Amino acid sequence: MNYKLIYITGNDIKFNVALKVFGNTQIDLVQNKLETPEIQSKSVEEIAKFSAKWASKKLNQPVIVTDAGFYIEELKGFPGPFIKYVNEWFSVEDYINLMRDKTNRTIIIKDCLAYCYPEEEPIVFTGEYKGRIAQKPGNKKGSPIEQIFIPEGYDNTISGIPEEEMLSYWSYGDIMTKFKDYILNK
């Protein structure tokens, strides 16, 4: 018997990663691009939990919601979970200028998945990806952060890595795999 699970995301890449992780399982993932209220918090966990609880109540079905923050160590964790908004205001050059003369170019992506049944508290899974900020922009596609984020183990920015390769990279992340193990053993 298959189990239907709704993934609340407008990001097709995130959804395709989830499809790849859940391939050959009894889980039927369905993408729903429902806009959820996003609370203001420095914690990606709190944001994801709030959104999952809200969406599961609204749809009266179990859902998963993911949220991520980009934490630049030299900038004391800026922009963190506010990356979506900062990318609307900052250009690639703005990020490059902020990092001018900075020696620590480490950036950590904190990733969170919240799974929630209606009227229950969300269950949270977290993980991290590490990388560094490029000295100059990569390809001119994607968001500003995608044009300057070089994942650990790579020499190119996200925007310069083929999409299939990036799908594989994101697919090996902790949160979706942890969640898959949880839901299949439940």
Side-chain angles (χ1 to χ4, degrees), residues 25-157:
T25 68
Q26 298 288 318
I27 306 293
D28 289 329
L29 282 178
V30 177
Q31 183 178 19
N32 186 319
K33 297 182 179 187
L34 177 68
E35 286 286 327
T36 61
E38 194 167 301
I39 62 168
Q40 297 302 305
S41 173
K42 291 181 184 178
S43 165
V44 291
E45 292 91 350
E46 291 302 315
I47 295 168
K49 282 169 51 175
F50 181 88
S51 294
K53 193 169 186 175
W54 183 89
S56 69
K57 186 175 182 179
K58 180 165 182 66
L59 299 175
N60 197 32
Q61 294 185 20
V63 302
I64 59 173
V65 172
T66 54
D67 198 63
F70 286 67
Y71 298 80
I72 302 170
E73 285 186 355
E74 189 73 25
L75 300 179
K76 299 180 181 170
F78 176 83
F82 308 108
I83 187 69
K84 176 181 170 183
Y85 302 108
V86 173
N87 275 336
E88 291 176 9
W89 298 317
F90 277 30
S91 67
V92 174
E93 291 76 24
D94 292 329
Y95 280 110
I96 297 292
N97 287 335
L98 279 174
M99 294 303 292
R100 184 175 289 134
D101 302 323
K102 305 286 187 209
T103 54
N104 180 1
R105 303 185 78 79
T106 302
I107 182 169
I108 297 170
I109 300 175
K110 293 184 180 180
D111 212 9
C112 180
L113 180 149
Y115 169 63
C116 192
Y117 266 94
E119 308 302 327
E120 292 185 14
E121 288 303 309
I123 298 167
V124 174
F125 302 84
T126 60
E128 291 185 351
Y129 297 93
K130 293 185 179 180
R132 67 185 189 283
I133 300 290
Q135 298 282 347
K136 59 183 183 180
N139 287 352
K140 301 280 188 227
K141 65 176 187 175
S143 69
I145 200 75
E146 290 171 336
Q147 294 177 46
I148 61 167
F149 176 72
I150 301 172
E152 192 171 66
Y154 288 84
D155 293 324
N156 291 321
T157 62

Side-chain angles (χ1 to χ4, degrees), residues 136-180:
K136 59 183 183 180
N139 287 352
K140 301 280 188 227
K141 65 176 187 175
S143 69
I145 200 75
E146 290 171 336
Q147 294 177 46
I148 61 167
F149 176 72
I150 301 172
E152 192 171 66
Y154 288 84
D155 293 324
N156 291 321
T157 62
I158 290 174
S159 65
I161 299 170
E163 187 173 324
E164 270 304 310
E165 195 171 336
M166 282 312 301
L167 282 174
S168 289
Y169 173 77
W170 297 125
S171 297
Y172 291 112
D174 288 341
I175 66 168
M176 204 56 76
T177 302
K178 286 179 189 175
F179 174 67
K180 178 178 122 179

